[in-house]
Amino acid sequence: MSGLGESMRKIVLAASVLLTVMSAEAAEQATIDTYNKTCVICHGSGAAGAPKFAHQEDWSPRLAKGMPALKESVHKGLNAMPPMGMCQDCSDEDFEKLINYMSTGK
């Protein structure tokens, strides 16, 4: 019977790992989808001075200000970017993920 219990533990562990990976991939895809719906219009081309997607020279000075300052800029709006960017239903966590994605491309 102990062999069956060990097998069951391995199956449960494998399923747990698989679900964790799938969940992470789904969250990553959600960030990409949100970027494509709400951010790419300006950050894809650098329109109106927006830092371009994965362009280190554009993002470095902004990232140096820290995530709290970046989120404050998103919440309040900055230059041509309206308050909350174009994502009125994004949470702070969503904005952090979007900023990380836009600044690194990953």
Side-chain angles (χ1 to χ4, degrees):
M1 249 339 203
S2 69
L4 181 59
E6 184 63 26
S7 294
M8 193 58 116
R9 278 193 291 268
K10 288 180 182 178
I11 290 169
V12 169
L13 178 61
S16 175
V17 169
L18 181 60
L19 287 173
T20 300
V21 169
M22 289 172 61
S23 177
E25 288 175 355
E28 184 177 317
Q29 187 60 52
T31 298
I32 293 168
D33 291 346
T34 301
Y35 167 79
N36 287 330
K37 289 179 198 171
T38 63
C39 307
V40 71
I41 193 158
C42 294
H43 290 280
S45 66
K52 290 178 278 207
F53 180 80
H55 193 264
Q56 188 176 11
E57 288 179 23
D58 287 354
W59 281 100
S60 289
R62 290 165 173 89
L63 292 171
K65 296 176 185 177
M67 189 60 74
L70 290 170
K71 288 189 301 185
E72 182 177 344
S73 293
V74 173
H75 283 283
K76 291 181 177 181
L78 182 65
N79 301 325
M81 183 178 69
M84 301 294 285
M86 297 299 287
C87 190
Q88 299 302 310
D89 60 346
C90 282
S91 66
D92 277 355
E93 183 180 347
D94 294 330
F95 285 128
E96 286 184 30
K97 289 177 182 178
L98 285 163
I99 290 166
N100 286 328
Y101 176 65
M102 286 189 291
S103 65
T104 65
K106 301 176 194 169

